[in-house]
Amino acid sequence: MRSKLNKAQLEAVRHKEGSMMVLAGPGSGKTTVILCRLQKMLREMDLSGGQVLVVTFTKAAAVQMKTRFGDRGQGKVWFSTFHSLFFRILRETYGYGVDRVLQGEDGRKFITQTILENNWANNDVDDMVNLFFTQLTYMKNEMIPLEDFEPNDMKDDIFQKLYKAYEAYKARQDKMDFDDMLVECHQLLQEDKETLARWQKKFPYIMVDEFQDINRVQYECISLLAGKEKNIFVVGDDDQSIYSFRGASPEFLMRFEKEFTPCAKVTLDVNYRSSDRIISVSQKAITNNLERFPKDISGIAGEGEKVTFFLAEDRNIEAQRIGEKIVHLLDAEVPPHEIAIIYRTNMQGCAFARELYRRQIPYFIRDVGSNVYDHWIARDLLAYLLLAENPDSDSHLRQILNKPKRYIGKDLLEEAQSMPYAMLRSLFVCPSLKKWQSEALEGLQQDLAQIEKRDVYEAIRYIRRVVGYDEYLEEYATYRKTSGQVFMEIADELMELAKGEVSVASFRQTLEEMSQQMKEQSRKSEDAYNKCVVLTTMHGAKGLEFQAVFVPSLVEGIVPHEKGIANHMEEERRLFYVAMTRAKEKLCLSTIRSKFDKKKEPSRFLGEIGVIIKDTQK
């Protein structure tokens, strides 16, 4: 063991009683340390009557760690996720069975039905369902009372009504969801001293991996289980805490050594993954954060290749250049799965997916977001284009009639249905049609005539800027109490897709092809990516490593993201750090002058790592 472990790793492995915090930088062999310490504990310590509890955040991580450890535990080590641990405690206390756990799809179906019945989302029901569950998880993880919780991107009253309806639904079904497991277990351990003592005796030693990802309710539960003995060993990296939307925060690592005194601390400061140049660049970025433990990371892989950088005119050209570089890497026999493009938001992945698809390079999207090519905005814009070609298409008219508002209500539509013409013509002959409604319809007819004259790209530009579709998106975002930026980015992406399309029919076909590509991506298994270039968000990249990494579109508003600039700048920098430290040998950074014809400023993070762009106009 001594010959395989460095000094800091040995110090961690040899720790016996009491609490210890291990700060584990990227590629520092933290899993090896956990498994070696387990082996040493089993060999040298008396564990009669108890088990060592090893907690991970995902089932895959628990299975992988258990597999690597093999059968040496002989019943003395229990590898578990937080949810599995807490459900086991509840099951053995209350007799819960797995049938008590609400299946995710059942809950989604109920919330979807509730939203539709109350007409709370005119367009993006799926997005609203996802948002509700994200906010619900955050609220429960942070143990915030409903009356004190202010949801993001959703009206307070709608969230509260959905929450109450969902809780009543679970009560009627006698079910609990994964968030309830954490909350109920915390309540049980806090209030039932006998149960708490039994589980403290069962797990006299606790180890927690990826401790920087812990949220408030998990932290409180683990603190209770650790008890007075405080035999708890945690491994984490405050510089890789990137899940604040789930309640994770570096705060819990910062608190740990104060609340679990006396607390031993060791830093795993040797990076076995990346070259010295990659380590140096990433360290220049992360040291700008103030809320962190200082670390002096070194490597063993040698100096390595220079970290490269390029400036592209826009993201299409950026995607083309990255596509060219990937071709060169593949020609040099770099395996496809050892190449990754790591970006800040799901929407950014579209340009790279299109480029790789065009080059017939297999790719795998790790975290597929909503299908932009089948989004309601895509259906709206296509409906305008098709209606311009055929004004008698009732279905397309209904799709966009009040986008933007033309004040054509349900009663008038029902009246028009009794007329012998297509819907648009029928509306003009309805007796109850008001003058201002007639003027709005005449304006629509004039707009359709203008749309028909233009190529697809210019037609979409006309729909957005002259017809007023962008204003509609902003108004809808305000109604939803959300940012209009996401909607604008979707519309921008669809405009980019329209460039060069020769007809509405070809644009429609391209939409269908790309939509099908996204659907196929969502059906791919994790095993499929061993023959594919990997596309992933910065969040999705955590825990992975690649021979070659591209981090694109490093501009203000994207990296750092505009949502994080005001209150989460340090987390934005941690995301950038995580992306860069996935690279083993090759790291390529890039920025763009403009995005969707709008000038962009280079990311401040580029200046922090020494990349200076003096004149972005040249």
Coordinates of all heavy atoms in Angstrom, one line a residue, residues 40-117:
K40 N -8.0 -1.2 5.4 CA -7.2 -1.1 6.6 C -8.1 -1.2 7.8 O -7.7 -1.8 8.8 CB -6.5 0.2 6.6 CG -5.4 0.4 7.6 CD -4.6 1.6 7.4 CE -3.3 1.7 8.3 NZ -3.6 1.7 9.7
M41 N -9.3 -0.6 7.8 CA -10.2 -0.7 8.9 C -10.6 -2.1 9.2 O -10.7 -2.5 10.4 CB -11.4 0.2 8.7 CG -11.2 1.7 8.7 SD -12.6 2.7 8.1 CE -13.7 2.5 9.6
L42 N -11.0 -2.8 8.2 CA -11.4 -4.2 8.3 C -10.3 -5.1 8.9 O -10.5 -6.0 9.7 CB -11.9 -4.8 7.0 CG -13.1 -4.2 6.4 CD1 -13.5 -4.8 5.1 CD2 -14.3 -4.3 7.3
R43 N -9.1 -4.7 8.6 CA -7.9 -5.6 9.0 C -7.5 -5.2 10.4 O -7.1 -6.1 11.2 CB -6.8 -5.3 8.0 CG -5.6 -6.3 8.2 CD -4.5 -6.1 7.1 NE -4.0 -4.8 7.0 CZ -4.2 -4.0 6.0 NH1 -4.9 -4.4 5.0 NH2 -3.6 -2.8 6.0
E44 N -7.7 -4.0 10.8 CA -7.0 -3.6 12.1 C -8.0 -3.1 13.2 O -7.6 -3.0 14.3 CB -6.1 -2.4 11.8 CG -5.0 -2.7 10.9 CD -4.0 -1.6 10.6 OE1 -4.3 -0.5 11.2 OE2 -3.1 -1.7 9.8
M45 N -9.3 -2.9 12.8 CA -10.2 -2.4 13.8 C -11.3 -3.4 14.2 O -11.7 -4.3 13.4 CB -10.9 -1.1 13.3 CG -9.8 0.0 13.1 SD -10.5 1.4 12.2 CE -11.6 2.1 13.5
D46 N -11.8 -3.3 15.4 CA -12.9 -4.2 15.8 C -14.2 -3.6 15.4 O -14.7 -2.6 15.9 CB -12.8 -4.3 17.4 CG -13.9 -5.2 17.9 OD1 -14.6 -6.0 17.1 OD2 -14.2 -5.2 19.1
L47 N -14.9 -4.3 14.5 CA -16.2 -3.8 14.0 C -17.3 -4.8 14.4 O -18.3 -4.8 13.7 CB -16.1 -3.7 12.4 CG -15.2 -2.6 11.9 CD1 -15.1 -2.7 10.4 CD2 -15.6 -1.2 12.3
S48 N -17.1 -5.5 15.4 CA -18.1 -6.5 15.9 C -19.4 -5.7 16.2 O -19.4 -4.7 17.0 CB -17.6 -7.3 17.1 OG -17.2 -6.4 18.1
G49 N -20.5 -6.2 15.7 CA -21.8 -5.6 16.0 C -22.1 -4.4 15.2 O -23.2 -3.8 15.4
G50 N -21.3 -4.0 14.2 CA -21.6 -2.8 13.4 C -21.0 -2.9 12.0 O -20.3 -3.9 11.7
Q51 N -21.4 -2.0 11.2 CA -20.9 -1.9 9.8 C -20.3 -0.5 9.6 O -20.6 0.5 10.2 CB -22.0 -2.1 8.8 CG -22.6 -3.5 8.8 CD -23.7 -3.6 7.8 OE1 -24.7 -2.9 7.9 NE2 -23.6 -4.4 6.8
V52 N -19.4 -0.5 8.6 CA -19.0 0.8 8.1 C -20.0 1.2 7.0 O -20.2 0.5 6.0 CB -17.5 0.7 7.5 CG1 -17.1 2.1 7.0 CG2 -16.6 0.2 8.5
L53 N -20.5 2.4 7.1 CA -21.4 2.9 6.2 C -20.7 3.8 5.2 O -20.0 4.8 5.6 CB -22.5 3.7 6.9 CG -23.5 4.5 6.0 CD1 -24.3 3.6 5.1 CD2 -24.4 5.4 6.8
V54 N -20.8 3.5 3.9 CA -20.2 4.3 2.8 C -21.3 4.9 2.0 O -22.0 4.1 1.3 CB -19.2 3.5 2.0 CG1 -18.5 4.4 0.9 CG2 -18.2 2.8 2.8
V55 N -21.4 6.2 2.0 CA -22.6 6.8 1.3 C -22.1 7.6 0.1 O -21.1 8.3 0.1 CB -23.3 7.9 2.2 CG1 -24.6 8.4 1.5 CG2 -23.7 7.2 3.5
T56 N -22.7 7.3 -1.1 CA -22.5 8.0 -2.3 C -23.8 8.7 -2.8 O -24.8 8.5 -2.2 CB -22.0 7.0 -3.4 OG1 -23.1 6.1 -3.7 CG2 -20.8 6.2 -2.9
F57 N -23.6 9.5 -3.9 CA -24.8 10.2 -4.3 C -25.6 9.5 -5.4 O -26.7 9.9 -5.7 CB -24.4 11.6 -4.8 CG -24.2 12.6 -3.6 CD1 -23.0 12.6 -2.8 CD2 -25.2 13.4 -3.2 CE1 -22.9 13.4 -1.8 CE2 -25.1 14.3 -2.1 CZ -23.9 14.3 -1.4
T58 N -25.0 8.6 -6.1 CA -25.7 7.9 -7.1 C -25.6 6.4 -7.0 O -24.6 5.9 -6.4 CB -25.2 8.2 -8.5 OG1 -23.8 7.7 -8.7 CG2 -25.2 9.8 -8.8
K59 N -26.6 5.7 -7.5 CA -26.6 4.2 -7.4 C -25.4 3.7 -8.2 O -24.7 2.7 -7.7 CB -27.9 3.7 -7.9 CG -28.0 2.2 -7.8 CD -29.3 1.7 -8.3 CE -29.5 0.1 -8.2 NZ -30.8 -0.4 -8.7
A60 N -25.1 4.3 -9.3 CA -24.0 3.8 -10.2 C -22.7 3.9 -9.4 O -21.8 3.0 -9.5 CB -23.9 4.7 -11.4
A61 N -22.5 5.0 -8.7 CA -21.2 5.2 -7.9 C -21.1 4.2 -6.8 O -20.1 3.6 -6.5 CB -21.2 6.6 -7.3
A62 N -22.3 3.9 -6.1 CA -22.3 2.9 -5.1 C -21.9 1.5 -5.6 O -21.1 0.8 -5.0 CB -23.6 2.9 -4.4
V63 N -22.5 1.2 -6.7 CA -22.3 -0.2 -7.4 C -20.8 -0.3 -7.8 O -20.2 -1.3 -7.6 CB -23.2 -0.4 -8.5 CG1 -22.8 -1.6 -9.3 CG2 -24.7 -0.5 -8.1
Q64 N -20.3 0.8 -8.4 CA -18.9 0.8 -8.9 C -18.0 0.6 -7.7 O -17.0 -0.1 -7.8 CB -18.6 2.1 -9.7 CG -17.2 2.1 -10.3 CD -16.9 3.5 -10.9 OE1 -17.2 4.5 -10.3 NE2 -16.4 3.4 -12.1
M65 N -18.2 1.4 -6.6 CA -17.3 1.3 -5.5 C -17.4 -0.1 -4.9 O -16.4 -0.7 -4.5 CB -17.7 2.4 -4.5 CG -16.6 2.7 -3.5 SD -16.9 4.0 -2.4 CE -16.9 5.4 -3.6
K66 N -18.6 -0.6 -4.8 CA -18.8 -2.0 -4.2 C -18.1 -3.0 -5.0 O -17.4 -4.0 -4.5 CB -20.3 -2.3 -4.1 CG -20.5 -3.6 -3.4 CD -22.0 -3.8 -3.2 CE -22.3 -5.1 -2.5 NZ -23.8 -5.3 -2.3
T67 N -18.2 -2.9 -6.4 CA -17.5 -3.8 -7.3 C -16.0 -3.8 -7.1 O -15.3 -4.8 -7.1 CB -17.9 -3.5 -8.7 OG1 -19.3 -3.6 -8.9 CG2 -17.3 -4.5 -9.7
R68 N -15.5 -2.6 -7.0 CA -14.0 -2.4 -6.9 C -13.5 -3.0 -5.6 O -12.4 -3.5 -5.5 CB -13.6 -0.9 -7.0 CG -13.6 -0.4 -8.4 CD -13.1 1.1 -8.5 NE -11.8 1.2 -7.9 CZ -11.1 2.4 -7.9 NH1 -11.7 3.5 -8.4 NH2 -9.9 2.5 -7.4
F69 N -14.3 -2.9 -4.6 CA -13.9 -3.4 -3.2 C -14.0 -4.9 -3.2 O -13.3 -5.5 -2.4 CB -14.7 -2.7 -2.2 CG -14.2 -2.9 -0.8 CD1 -12.9 -2.4 -0.4 CD2 -14.9 -3.6 0.2 CE1 -12.4 -2.6 0.8 CE2 -14.4 -3.8 1.5 CZ -13.1 -3.3 1.8
G70 N -14.9 -5.4 -4.0 CA -15.0 -6.9 -4.0 C -15.7 -7.4 -2.7 O -16.5 -6.7 -2.1
D71 N -15.4 -8.7 -2.4 CA -16.1 -9.3 -1.3 C -15.3 -9.3 0.0 O -15.5 -10.0 1.0 CB -16.4 -10.8 -1.6 CG -15.1 -11.6 -2.0 OD1 -14.0 -11.0 -1.9 OD2 -15.2 -12.8 -2.3
R72 N -14.3 -8.3 0.1 CA -13.5 -8.2 1.3 C -14.3 -7.7 2.5 O -13.8 -7.9 3.6 CB -12.3 -7.3 1.0 CG -11.3 -7.9 0.1 CD -10.2 -6.9 -0.3 NE -10.8 -5.9 -1.3 CZ -10.1 -5.0 -1.9 NH1 -8.8 -4.9 -1.6 NH2 -10.6 -4.2 -2.7
G73 N -15.4 -7.1 2.3 CA -16.2 -6.6 3.4 C -16.9 -7.6 4.2 O -17.0 -7.4 5.4
Q74 N -17.2 -8.7 3.7 CA -17.9 -9.8 4.4 C -19.0 -9.3 5.3 O -19.0 -9.7 6.5 CB -16.8 -10.6 5.2 CG -15.7 -11.2 4.3 CD -14.7 -12.0 5.1 OE1 -14.5 -11.8 6.3 NE2 -13.9 -12.9 4.4
G75 N -19.8 -8.5 4.8 CA -21.0 -8.0 5.6 C -20.6 -6.9 6.5 O -21.5 -6.4 7.3
K76 N -19.4 -6.4 6.5 CA -19.0 -5.4 7.5 C -19.0 -4.0 6.8 O -18.8 -3.0 7.5 CB -17.6 -5.6 8.0 CG -17.5 -6.8 8.9 CD -18.4 -6.6 10.2 CE -18.3 -7.8 11.1 NZ -19.2 -7.6 12.3
V77 N -19.3 -3.9 5.5 CA -19.3 -2.6 4.8 C -20.6 -2.6 4.0 O -21.0 -3.5 3.4 CB -18.1 -2.4 3.8 CG1 -18.2 -1.1 3.1 CG2 -16.8 -2.6 4.6
W78 N -21.3 -1.4 4.2 CA -22.5 -1.2 3.4 C -22.4 0.0 2.5 O -22.3 1.1 3.0 CB -23.8 -1.1 4.3 CG -25.1 -1.2 3.6 CD1 -25.4 -2.1 2.6 CD2 -26.2 -0.3 3.7 NE1 -26.7 -1.8 2.1 CE2 -27.2 -0.7 2.8 CE3 -26.4 0.8 4.5 CZ2 -28.4 -0.1 2.6 CZ3 -27.6 1.5 4.3 CH2 -28.6 1.0 3.4
F79 N -22.4 -0.2 1.2 CA -22.3 0.9 0.2 C -23.8 1.3 -0.1 O -24.6 0.4 -0.5 CB -21.6 0.4 -1.0 CG -20.2 0.1 -0.8 CD1 -19.8 -1.3 -0.6 CD2 -19.2 1.0 -0.9 CE1 -18.5 -1.6 -0.4 CE2 -17.9 0.7 -0.7 CZ -17.5 -0.6 -0.4
S80 N -24.1 2.6 0.0 CA -25.5 3.0 -0.2 C -25.5 4.4 -0.7 O -24.6 5.2 -0.5 CB -26.2 2.9 1.2 OG -27.5 3.5 1.1
T81 N -26.6 4.7 -1.4 CA -27.0 6.1 -1.7 C -27.7 6.7 -0.5 O -28.1 6.0 0.4 CB -27.9 6.2 -2.9 OG1 -29.1 5.6 -2.6 CG2 -27.2 5.6 -4.1
F82 N -27.8 8.0 -0.5 CA -28.6 8.6 0.6 C -30.0 8.1 0.6 O -30.6 7.8 1.7 CB -28.6 10.2 0.4 CG -27.3 10.8 1.0 CD1 -26.3 11.3 0.2 CD2 -27.2 11.0 2.4 CE1 -25.2 11.9 0.7 CE2 -26.1 11.6 2.9 CZ -25.1 12.0 2.1
H83 N -30.6 8.1 -0.6 CA -32.0 7.7 -0.6 C -32.2 6.2 -0.1 O -33.2 5.9 0.6 CB -32.6 7.9 -2.0 CG -32.9 9.3 -2.4 ND1 -32.0 10.0 -3.2 CD2 -33.9 10.1 -2.0 CE1 -32.5 11.2 -3.3 NE2 -33.6 11.3 -2.6
S84 N -31.3 5.4 -0.5 CA -31.4 4.0 -0.1 C -31.2 3.9 1.4 O -32.0 3.1 2.1 CB -30.3 3.1 -0.8 OG -30.4 1.8 -0.4
L85 N -30.3 4.6 1.9 CA -30.1 4.6 3.4 C -31.3 5.1 4.1 O -31.8 4.4 5.1 CB -28.9 5.5 3.7 CG -28.7 5.9 5.2 CD1 -28.4 4.7 6.0 CD2 -27.6 6.9 5.3
F86 N -31.9 6.2 3.7 CA -33.0 6.8 4.4 C -34.2 5.9 4.3 O -35.0 5.8 5.2 CB -33.2 8.2 4.0 CG -32.1 9.2 4.3 CD1 -31.9 10.3 3.5 CD2 -31.2 8.9 5.3 CE1 -30.9 11.2 3.8 CE2 -30.2 9.7 5.6 CZ -30.0 10.9 4.8
F87 N -34.4 5.3 3.1 CA -35.6 4.5 3.0 C -35.5 3.2 3.8 O -36.4 2.7 4.4 CB -35.8 4.1 1.5 CG -37.1 3.3 1.3 CD1 -38.3 3.9 1.5 CD2 -37.0 2.0 0.9 CE1 -39.5 3.2 1.3 CE2 -38.2 1.3 0.7 CZ -39.4 1.9 0.9
R88 N -34.2 2.7 3.9 CA -34.0 1.5 4.8 C -34.4 1.8 6.2 O -35.0 1.0 6.9 CB -32.6 1.0 4.7 CG -32.3 -0.2 5.5 CD -30.9 -0.7 5.3 NE -30.5 -1.8 6.2 CZ -29.4 -2.4 6.2 NH1 -28.4 -2.1 5.3 NH2 -29.1 -3.4 7.0
I89 N -34.0 3.0 6.7 CA -34.3 3.4 8.1 C -35.8 3.5 8.2 O -36.4 3.0 9.2 CB -33.6 4.7 8.4 CG1 -32.1 4.5 8.5 CG2 -34.1 5.3 9.8 CD1 -31.3 5.8 8.6
L90 N -36.5 4.1 7.3 CA -38.0 4.2 7.4 C -38.6 2.8 7.3 O -39.6 2.6 8.0 CB -38.5 5.1 6.2 CG -38.1 6.6 6.3 CD1 -38.5 7.3 5.0 CD2 -38.7 7.3 7.5
R91 N -38.1 2.0 6.4 CA -38.7 0.7 6.2 C -38.6 -0.2 7.5 O -39.6 -0.8 7.9 CB -38.0 -0.1 5.0 CG -38.6 -1.4 4.7 CD -37.8 -2.1 3.6 NE -36.4 -2.3 4.0 CZ -35.4 -2.5 3.2 NH1 -35.6 -2.5 1.9 NH2 -34.2 -2.8 3.6
E92 N -37.4 -0.2 8.1 CA -37.3 -1.0 9.3 C -38.0 -0.4 10.5 O -38.3 -1.1 11.5 CB -35.8 -1.2 9.6 CG -35.1 -2.0 8.5 CD -33.7 -2.5 8.9 OE1 -33.4 -2.4 10.1 OE2 -32.9 -2.9 8.0
T93 N -38.3 0.9 10.5 CA -39.0 1.5 11.6 C -40.5 1.4 11.4 O -41.3 1.0 12.3 CB -38.6 3.0 11.7 OG1 -37.2 3.1 11.9 CG2 -39.3 3.6 12.9
Y94 N -41.0 1.7 10.2 CA -42.4 1.8 9.9 C -43.0 0.6 9.1 O -44.2 0.5 8.9 CB -42.8 3.1 9.2 CG -42.5 4.3 9.9 CD1 -41.7 5.3 9.4 CD2 -42.9 4.5 11.3 CE1 -41.4 6.5 10.0 CE2 -42.6 5.7 12.0 CZ -41.8 6.7 11.3 OH -41.5 7.8 12.0
G95 N -42.1 -0.2 8.6 CA -42.5 -1.4 7.8 C -42.9 -1.0 6.4 O -43.6 -1.7 5.7
Y96 N -42.3 0.1 5.9 CA -42.6 0.5 4.5 C -42.1 -0.5 3.5 O -41.0 -1.1 3.7 CB -42.0 1.9 4.2 CG -42.6 3.1 4.9 CD1 -41.9 4.3 4.9 CD2 -43.8 3.0 5.5 CE1 -42.4 5.4 5.5 CE2 -44.3 4.1 6.1 CZ -43.6 5.3 6.1 OH -44.2 6.4 6.7
G97 N -42.9 -0.8 2.4 CA -42.4 -1.6 1.3 C -42.1 -0.7 0.1 O -42.5 0.5 0.1
V98 N -41.5 -1.3 -0.9 CA -41.1 -0.5 -2.1 C -42.4 0.0 -2.8 O -42.4 1.0 -3.5 CB -40.3 -1.3 -3.1 CG1 -38.9 -1.5 -2.5 CG2 -40.9 -2.6 -3.4
D99 N -43.5 -0.7 -2.5 CA -44.8 -0.3 -3.2 C -45.3 1.0 -2.6 O -46.2 1.7 -3.1 CB -45.9 -1.4 -3.0 CG -46.1 -1.7 -1.5 OD1 -45.3 -1.4 -0.7 OD2 -47.2 -2.2 -1.2
R100 N -44.7 1.5 -1.5 CA -45.0 2.7 -0.9 C -44.4 3.9 -1.6 O -44.9 5.1 -1.5 CB -44.5 2.8 0.6 CG -44.9 4.0 1.4 CD -46.3 4.1 1.8 NE -46.7 5.3 2.4 CZ -46.6 5.6 3.7 NH1 -46.2 4.6 4.5 NH2 -46.9 6.8 4.2
V101 N -43.4 3.7 -2.5 CA -42.7 4.7 -3.2 C -43.4 5.1 -4.4 O -43.7 4.2 -5.3 CB -41.3 4.3 -3.5 CG1 -40.5 5.5 -4.2 CG2 -40.5 3.9 -2.2
L102 N -43.8 6.3 -4.6 CA -44.5 6.8 -5.8 C -43.5 6.8 -7.0 O -42.4 7.3 -6.9 CB -45.0 8.3 -5.5 CG -45.7 8.9 -6.7 CD1 -47.1 8.3 -6.9 CD2 -45.9 10.4 -6.4
Q103 N -44.0 6.2 -8.0 CA -43.2 6.2 -9.3 C -43.2 7.5 -9.9 O -44.2 8.2 -9.9 CB -43.7 5.1 -10.3 CG -43.7 3.7 -9.7 CD -42.3 3.3 -9.4 OE1 -41.4 3.4 -10.2 NE2 -42.2 2.8 -8.1
G104 N -42.0 7.9 -10.4 CA -41.8 9.3 -10.9 C -42.9 9.7 -12.0 O -43.4 10.8 -12.0
E105 N -43.2 8.7 -12.9 CA -44.1 9.0 -14.0 C -45.5 9.2 -13.5 O -46.2 10.0 -14.0 CB -44.1 7.9 -15.0 CG -42.9 7.9 -16.0 CD -42.7 9.3 -16.6 OE1 -43.7 9.7 -17.3 OE2 -41.7 9.9 -16.5
D106 N -45.9 8.5 -12.4 CA -47.2 8.7 -11.8 C -47.4 10.2 -11.3 O -48.4 10.8 -11.5 CB -47.5 7.7 -10.7 CG -47.6 6.3 -11.2 OD1 -47.9 6.1 -12.5 OD2 -47.4 5.4 -10.4
G107 N -46.3 10.6 -10.6 CA -46.4 12.0 -10.1 C -46.4 13.0 -11.2 O -47.1 14.0 -11.1
R108 N -45.6 12.8 -12.2 CA -45.6 13.7 -13.4 C -46.9 13.8 -14.1 O -47.4 14.8 -14.5 CB -44.5 13.3 -14.4 CG -43.1 13.6 -13.9 CD -42.1 13.2 -15.0 NE -42.3 14.1 -16.2 CZ -41.8 15.3 -16.3 NH1 -41.0 15.8 -15.4 NH2 -42.0 16.0 -17.4
K109 N -47.5 12.6 -14.2 CA -48.8 12.6 -14.9 C -49.9 13.4 -14.1 O -50.7 14.1 -14.7 CB -49.3 11.1 -15.1 CG -48.6 10.4 -16.1 CD -49.0 8.9 -16.2 CE -48.2 8.1 -17.2 NZ -48.6 6.7 -17.2
F110 N -49.8 13.2 -12.8 CA -50.8 14.0 -12.0 C -50.6 15.5 -12.1 O -51.5 16.2 -12.2 CB -50.7 13.5 -10.5 CG -51.5 14.4 -9.6 CD1 -52.9 14.2 -9.5 CD2 -51.0 15.4 -8.8 CE1 -53.7 15.0 -8.7 CE2 -51.7 16.2 -8.0 CZ -53.1 16.0 -7.9
I111 N -49.3 15.9 -12.0 CA -49.0 17.4 -12.1 C -49.4 17.9 -13.4 O -49.9 19.0 -13.6 CB -47.5 17.6 -11.7 CG1 -47.3 17.3 -10.2 CG2 -47.2 19.1 -12.0 CD1 -48.1 18.2 -9.3
T112 N -49.1 17.1 -14.5 CA -49.4 17.5 -15.9 C -50.9 17.7 -16.0 O -51.4 18.7 -16.5 CB -48.9 16.5 -16.9 OG1 -47.5 16.3 -16.8 CG2 -49.3 16.8 -18.3
Q113 N -51.7 16.8 -15.5 CA -53.1 16.8 -15.5 C -53.7 18.0 -14.8 O -54.6 18.7 -15.2 CB -53.7 15.5 -15.0 CG -55.3 15.5 -15.0 CD -55.8 14.2 -14.4 OE1 -55.1 13.3 -14.1 NE2 -57.1 14.2 -14.2
T114 N -53.1 18.3 -13.6 CA -53.5 19.4 -12.8 C -53.2 20.8 -13.5 O -54.1 21.7 -13.5 CB -52.8 19.4 -11.4 OG1 -53.0 18.2 -10.8 CG2 -53.3 20.6 -10.5
I115 N -52.1 20.9 -14.1 CA -51.7 22.1 -14.9 C -52.7 22.3 -16.0 O -53.2 23.4 -16.3 CB -50.3 22.0 -15.4 CG1 -49.3 22.1 -14.2 CG2 -50.0 23.2 -16.4 CD1 -47.9 21.8 -14.6
L116 N -53.0 21.2 -16.8 CA -53.9 21.3 -17.9 C -55.3 21.7 -17.5 O -56.0 22.5 -18.1 CB -53.9 20.0 -18.7 CG -52.6 19.7 -19.5 CD1 -52.6 18.3 -20.0 CD2 -52.4 20.7 -20.6
E117 N -55.8 21.1 -16.5 CA -57.1 21.3 -16.0 C -57.4 22.7 -15.6 O -58.4 23.3 -15.7 CB -57.5 20.4 -14.8 CG -57.7 18.9 -15.3 CD -57.9 18.0 -14.1 OE1 -57.8 18.5 -12.9 OE2 -58.2 16.8 -14.3

